[in-house]
Amino acid sequence: MADLRIKIGPLELRNPVILASGTCGYGSELEDFIDISELGGIIVKGTTLEQREGNPYPRMAETASGMLNAVGLQNKGIDHFEKNIYPHLAEYKTHVIVNINGNTIEDYVELSRRINSFSAIPAIELNISCPNVKQGGMVFGTNPASAREVISAVRRVYDKTLIVKLSPNVTDITEFARISQEEGAEAVSLVNTFLGMAVDISNMRPKLSTITGGLSGSAIKPVALRMVWQAARAVTIPVIGLGGIMNAEDALEFIMAGATAVQVGTASFINPRAGTEIVAGIEKFLIEKEIDSVSTITGIINRK
Amino acid sequence: MKKRIEDLTVIDNSKLAEGFFVIKVSSSEDLTGIKPGQFVQALVKESPSTFLRRPLSVHDINPSENTLLLLVQIAGPGTERLSRLIPGEKLNLIYPLGNSFTLPVQGERVLLAGGGCGMAPLLYLARKISESGVQPHFALGFRNRSRILTHDEFSALGPVYLSTEDGSQGYRGFVTDIPEFSNEHWDRVYCCGPEPMMKAVAALCRKRDIFCEVSLENLMACGLGICLCCVVPTTSGNLCSCTDGPVFNINDLKWQTSG
């Protein structure tokens, strides 16, 4: 047995593997395949105050070792969430985190205030990095002053664990990690998807209805890993690493580069058991290497 | 039936027409709980450009052999790799996915309208309809003679009316040009094929007030209702074609009401 426990602010996770927002639904979609409670946590899909229909189809294009998506935060809004989704989430014996989005700072604040009252939700992931909405999202996450303003405003009304999800579509991601720390976030998660696009040469049209979308999957892993490594050296709060993690080896790379925890995203589309298999793989690795605790190897490449 | 991930064993892989294959796989688990209209997500190995699984309709189930048939059209490197599967190889599937067709009731006249590879789910549907004591009829359209995908299993279940766009076999034109389709009385039409074909079938059914279900083949990533990529606009908002579909009543689809 290896000790897989890690801490994100006041939260203790039983292991460092969290399912990423937008790739695990509300957990129930994966229940035929895995026991959600075996994970360190799940981050349920991007939620907004009001119901959103998202972007028109087509919203997806497969790319070399990855995929583009342009979903656009389709969800039924916080009222529906509270009434219809939350009761089931409250039964999970793991941390359930809500990814929150808004068009304006007021939206983010109101949503944070609402979720602050949900006793079974110990943390929010402040999404200032969605590339697929015209307002809000990445607009906040690519401008340092706007990022500071929204994080600060949410921090004032939200007294549980605040994780800020950062966009990789910036020149220097460490600047946004530092701002998150300065404004009182307990952790940062990075990276969200990279802005990309694809053209269908047979009909000479963009493959996505929105022309551009967010790239995820194995294709982004080396770049995501580099950004996680940079951010982990720039801040003292925990960094949650994500971007193209498909298996335990990928997850271990992020951990060794400085991630306290990891998120598994697109991998679940191909293997709905990816999350729990990665937990098992990390444990197996530690046992084979005779390492007592996962925290021993967090950021180990920076210490040699 | 619970969804599962399983390595199934390829029993047979045979060419049906140029660019079309039927793959037969056997399972160690019971396959008879699969409903007509459901699909699988197939993992493609050794194809670096194939990152996601490939959604494929369940073409047929043989309960005595406990085998499942998949009809595959080569559309890119992923399906090309699948076409080269050999007996004994494993094929990893997530299944069964999606909803299913609504079966007819005794005494109804039902037509199964398929276009090209879109006819894939209609064989298993016809088998289930036949088992329920209703006679299925097929109206199947193809581009030309060389791309006709019917095989003996269809005619064993019911009359097959064919059309080809160039008239090289059967009626010249589209499925909707088949006289039996437009002239005879039908209580239910089940349809799967290219979108223009399904829209034409839906328009015809709407005009004649025929119950009609279509099976959509939207692009998708997960097949589990998670990625929200395969959405279709309906009277109840954007729904996932992978979990709320792939089968939809035409009256629920926005594309039908708008034209």
Side-chain angles (χ1 to χ4, degrees), chain B residues 23-100:
Chain B
I23 302 168
K24 183 193 275 193
V25 290
S26 75
S27 170
S28 53
E29 311 264 347
D30 182 24
L31 295 173
T32 54
I34 298 175
K35 295 182 201 149
Q38 291 194 299
F39 67 100
V40 306
Q41 279 273 53
L43 187 67
V44 184
K45 288 178 188 157
E46 301 146 28
S47 178
S49 60
T50 309
F51 182 68
L52 300 167
R53 286 175 182 259
R54 292 294 179 267
L56 300 168
S57 296
V58 171
H59 185 42
D60 203 4
I61 302 281
N62 183 327
S64 61
E65 300 178 338
N66 203 42
T67 53
L68 183 157
L69 290 188
L70 301 168
L71 173 55
V72 182
Q73 175 173 17
I74 298 179
T79 42
E80 194 279 331
R81 174 66 186 91
L82 293 177
S83 77
R84 287 188 286 110
L85 285 170
I86 54 168
E89 271 192 89
K90 296 289 181 191
L91 178 63
N92 184 273
L93 301 182
I94 299 178
Y95 73 99
L97 302 172
N99 66 354
S100 58

Side-chain angles (χ1 to χ4, degrees), chain A residues 36-113:
Chain A
I36 298 295
S37 298
E38 287 178 13
L39 294 156
I42 65 166
I43 306 184
V44 298
K45 70 180 162 200
T47 301
T48 51
L49 277 177
E50 78 293 0
Q51 177 168 348
R52 290 198 188 181
E53 282 297 325
N55 291 318
Y57 178 88
R59 295 174 169 185
M60 192 277 286
E62 188 179 36
T63 60
S65 299
M67 63 174 279
L68 290 159
N69 90 82
V71 172
L73 298 176
Q74 179 180 327
N75 80 102
K76 291 191 168 161
I78 192 66
D79 290 336
H80 176 88
F81 176 88
E82 181 171 11
K83 190 160 172 274
N84 303 100
I85 314 269
Y86 175 70
H88 183 61
L89 293 178
E91 291 170 12
Y92 286 135
K93 291 177 177 54
T94 188
H95 297 300
V96 178
I97 300 166
V98 181
N99 177 287
I100 69 157
N101 299 268
N103 289 339
T104 62
I105 290 182
E106 290 71 31
D107 289 349
Y108 280 103
V109 167
E110 176 58 21
L111 196 50
S112 308
R113 207 193 298 273

